Amino acid sequence: RALTILPGGHGYLSSVAWVAGGRQLVAASEDGGVLRWDSERGERLPGPTGSASSQPPSPGALSAISVSPDGQILAACGLDGRLHLRTLGSPPQSEAPQQAPGGAIYSCAFSPDGSLLASGGDGQILLWDLGAEPLLQRLRRPLKALTLAAMPDGQQLMIGDLEGGLHRWWLSQTRPEPSRPLHRGAVQALASSPDGSLLATAGSDGSIAVLQGPALSPRHPSLRLTSARGAATALAISPRGGLLAAGYA
């Protein structure tokens, strides 16, 4: 069931993510800004830079946002193909944006130890080594990935495609597993529980699927909020694994 609706900004929110500890949520917006909330009080907070505005890091639309497992680094990627990194400490600091080869980035996800960031875009998946200067694209695979989720075991990357299918990629292998159909439309978002026992997927048809265990078996019938309209575009599972946040277009 839906617990609450958080006050947002104007326009389309493309992605949401929990900050470590579960007290805060962040979201990426179509105007290039980053929004932040106190999830327990249901209140909008100042942007990551301390301003009351959403502090756009990008002149173009942001398509995805991700927070490192320790809650210290926020990554935002855009349809302009740029990757933005910002520390969430005090004072916050921003890195110069990195340009991904090949065009737009649709999704990004940190590895469990925070050392790698995966990004998916037009026909390719890139792995960025965050300890390298400059960032290195360590691996490329030709697959149109709309959304990504790195599993807590550090060995699997989940990939949502444009046809509503889910691919599991064991990173020790050279290619992902075949797609398994989940939605009647593109997979817009993925989210894993902290222990990796649950995986939630959101579709452009407005449905949400919850899978469990190594076999990724359905835990519930496809979920749909009766008060929501349109595509389910963003998901995040709380650090304790008991709450699921969903954003709708």
Side-chain angles (χ1 to χ4, degrees):
R1 65 187 180 91
L3 297 179
T4 187
I5 297 177
L6 299 174
H10 298 287
Y12 178 87
L13 297 181
S14 59
S15 180
V16 295
W18 292 95
V19 178
R23 281 290 303 270
Q24 294 183 24
L25 274 170
V26 291
S29 71
E30 66 176 351
D31 65 0
V34 174
L35 294 85
R36 191 163 61 114
W37 295 270
D38 183 310
S39 59
E40 292 187 356
R41 295 192 307 234
E43 297 177 355
R44 175 85 175 271
L45 298 173
T49 60
S51 166
S53 71
S54 61
Q55 289 296 302
S58 169
L62 290 178
S63 51
I65 196 169
S66 184
V67 178
S68 62
D70 62 5
Q72 297 301 304
I73 301 176
L74 182 147
C77 55
L79 298 179
D80 59 1
R82 294 201 293 176
L83 172 68
H84 306 263
L85 295 176
R86 175 179 293 162
T87 63
L88 295 177
S90 181
Q93 297 179 342
S94 297
E95 301 280 347
Q98 301 291 322
Q99 186 70 45
I105 303 176
Y106 299 126
S107 57
C108 58
F110 280 94
S111 64
D113 64 2
S115 65
L116 296 178
L117 183 75
S119 67
D122 286 331
Q124 64 182 346
I125 298 171
L126 304 178
L127 293 184
W128 303 79
D129 185 345
L130 300 184
E133 293 291 345
L135 299 181
L136 300 176
Q137 297 94 341
R138 290 186 49 180
L139 185 65
R140 302 185 191 182
R141 297 304 306 175
L143 177 66
K144 289 193 175 181
L146 192 59
T147 185
L148 300 170
M151 299 302 285
D153 61 10
Q155 301 177 32
Q156 305 173 68
L157 186 67
M158 299 297 177
I159 306 164
D161 65 29
L162 295 171
E163 287 74 43
L166 176 72
H167 305 255
R168 173 162 50 186
W169 187 3
W170 294 95
L171 296 179
S172 60
Q173 304 299 314
T174 59
R175 65 185 61 191
E177 294 177 355
S179 172
R180 62 175 71 192
L182 291 176
H183 302 281
R184 295 192 302 270
V187 179
Q188 299 276 18
L190 296 170
S192 168
S193 62
D195 62 2
S197 63
L198 296 177
L199 179 74
T201 72
S204 60
D205 59 357
S207 65
I208 296 173
V210 180
L211 310 175
Q212 65 179 354
L216 299 177
S217 305
R219 178 169 178 173
H220 301 286
S222 184
L223 304 174
R224 187 185 300 270
L225 297 179
T226 57
S227 60
R229 298 291 183 270
T233 58
L235 287 174
I237 297 177
S238 66
R240 295 181 181 179
L243 298 176
L244 174 67
Y248 281 77

